[in-house]
Amino acid sequence: MPRPHEVVVLALPDPMAFELGLASKFLGSAVDAREQRLYRVRVATLDGGPVRTSGGYSVLPEHDASILDEADTVVVPGLHLPTSMPGDRLPGDVAEVLRRAAAHARLVAICTGSFALAAAGLLDGRPATTHWLYAERFATLFPQVRLDPDVLFVDDGDVLTSAGNAAGIDLLLHVVRRDHGSEVANRVARRSVVAPWREGGQSQFVERPVPDDDGAGTAATRAWAAERLGEPLALADLAAHAHMSVRTFTRRFREETGQSPQRWLAGQRIALARQLLETTDAPVDRIAAEAGFGTPASLRAQLHAAIGVSPLVYRRTYRGVTGSSRARWTA
């Protein structure tokens, strides 16, 4: 009987508690048709001692980093930033352990675990992702990495990275699917009661709040427009409300928001459509009209361009909300 694939979860200082157990759950539960385990998952720290997690408790694995020499895959859970990388630098012993493992093992980083791989120089010139909240910081620290902040995960062969912690589940299921096929991966997903595959990228989960109305500049007009997204709002209409010329309004708007008025308006309409898809049972054509897209075809095109999924796929993502708690549409 072939030996199981050896997986080592490397618990670096200040790991994210939720992610420490993901590999044991989703790789460790993968079995073949004879119910034989396909992966052996072990957890290690650098010295075999305890590490304190983001959950406020410590874990004491049974192994130290020496078992990395036996690993086929090394999983690096997310790190609690900035404490795990003081001064935005990775401790030298951690970097050396990761580089040694990369010489023979596949590397899988979950969420901010990608910071550790990047700081060790293992993502230079390669595509990668991380949690959208930390994408700007990551890009600043590691400009040599080809960061894609929208996707749920990136598979670059022997190095794989995921977005937020739940996207770590998507990535680990992808690993099982890549190694053993969809049937095995789907079985793992069913046993854990999770979707075997999620469409779209992490931009569908990014928070985009409406800016506060501070009574200055274009804020009042933004608030006014946000209440009238279903109406045809031209740039001239926005400028007139702000009592500015179109040229002045456009310049001030970009200074205050970093976006053009048209792009901001499109983003607000997408946000409203998402909210209605999540919280109401309204038909797509009514949502398209309410959010200012006019037609379902226009809504589908704009939503797919913005977050990579169709309205119906997006709505299915949030069907975990029970029917009794979903709002009914009223005219």
Side-chain angles (χ1 to χ4, degrees):
M1 184 175 65
R3 71 174 181 86
H5 185 103
E6 294 287 343
V7 178
V8 175
V9 179
L10 182 59
L12 297 174
D14 296 301
M16 302 302 290
F18 173 78
E19 297 162 23
L20 271 176
L22 290 182
S24 295
K25 176 63 176 175
F26 290 93
L27 299 183
S29 63
V31 295
D32 61 18
R34 301 185 306 277
E35 293 293 315
Q36 299 296 315
R37 294 193 180 277
L38 296 169
Y39 302 89
R40 181 169 71 148
V41 182
R42 294 179 290 172
V43 181
T45 56
L46 292 176
D47 59 3
V51 292
R52 186 168 178 81
T53 73
S54 65
Y57 57 84
S58 296
V59 295
L60 180 58
E62 298 178 351
H63 306 281
D64 61 27
S66 64
I67 67 167
L68 290 171
D69 295 337
E70 307 168 23
D72 300 306
T73 294
V74 175
V75 177
V76 181
L79 306 176
H80 185 263
L81 300 174
T83 55
S84 56
M85 290 179 56
D88 291 325
R89 298 178 65 85
L90 196 65
D93 55 344
V94 176
E96 178 56 34
V97 165
L98 290 172
R99 285 193 287 265
R100 191 169 72 245
H104 62 86
R106 175 173 60 184
L107 300 181
V108 176
I110 299 174
C111 193
T112 51
S114 57
F115 277 73
L117 299 190
L122 299 173
L123 297 181
D124 289 0
R126 307 186 72 148
T129 193
T130 194
H131 194 296
W132 62 267
L133 274 173
Y134 299 96
E136 184 175 352
R137 180 177 180 183
F138 186 99
T140 300
L141 289 175
F142 311 114
Q144 66 274 28
V145 180
R146 290 155 48 200
L147 179 68
D148 186 342
D150 179 53
V151 296
L152 293 176
F153 60 83
V154 170
D155 181 345
D156 193 39
D158 58 345
V159 178
L160 301 89
T161 53
S162 86
N165 45 28
I169 297 174
D170 298 297
L171 177 54
L172 293 172
L173 288 173
H174 169 75
V175 168
V176 176
R177 188 178 301 109
R178 192 179 98 170
D179 291 350
H180 300 287
S182 295
E183 183 178 353
V184 175
N186 291 347
R187 188 184 307 125
V188 172
R190 285 195 300 271
R191 291 182 177 183
S192 299
V193 198
V194 299
W197 179 267
R198 288 194 295 166
E199 297 186 62
Q202 63 173 324
S203 63
Q204 61 187 299
F205 305 105
V206 175
E207 297 173 357
R208 291 187 175 90
V210 177
D212 293 334
D213 181 1
D214 58 7
T218 65
T221 297
R222 280 176 272 150
W224 173 81
E227 296 296 322
R228 295 164 175 79
L229 295 175
E231 302 175 12
L233 296 172
L235 179 58
D237 298 325
L238 300 177
H241 181 272
H243 304 291
M244 300 178 189
S245 68
V246 169
R247 181 177 180 180
T248 299
F249 177 80
T250 301
R251 176 178 56 80
R252 291 286 298 275
F253 198 101
R254 188 178 292 277
E255 289 173 352
E256 295 173 18
T257 69
Q259 297 178 299
S260 69
Q262 296 91 333
R263 185 168 183 176
W264 177 87
L265 190 60
Q268 295 303 303
R269 285 175 166 150
I270 287 291
L272 176 58
R274 288 168 54 183
Q275 179 186 1
L276 295 174
L277 287 167
E278 293 175 27
T279 61
T280 78
D281 58 358
V284 171
D285 58 346
R286 189 63 183 271
I287 290 176
E290 185 73 9
F293 290 102
T295 67
S298 178
L299 171 58
R300 281 193 295 271
Q302 294 295 324
L303 191 67
H304 195 278
I307 60 176
V309 298
S310 69
L312 293 181
V313 168
Y314 185 83
R315 174 170 269 169
R316 281 200 301 270
T317 302
Y318 290 91
R319 282 300 188 186
V321 181
T322 62
S324 61
S325 66
R326 291 178 63 82
R328 288 288 170 183
W329 183 264
T330 56

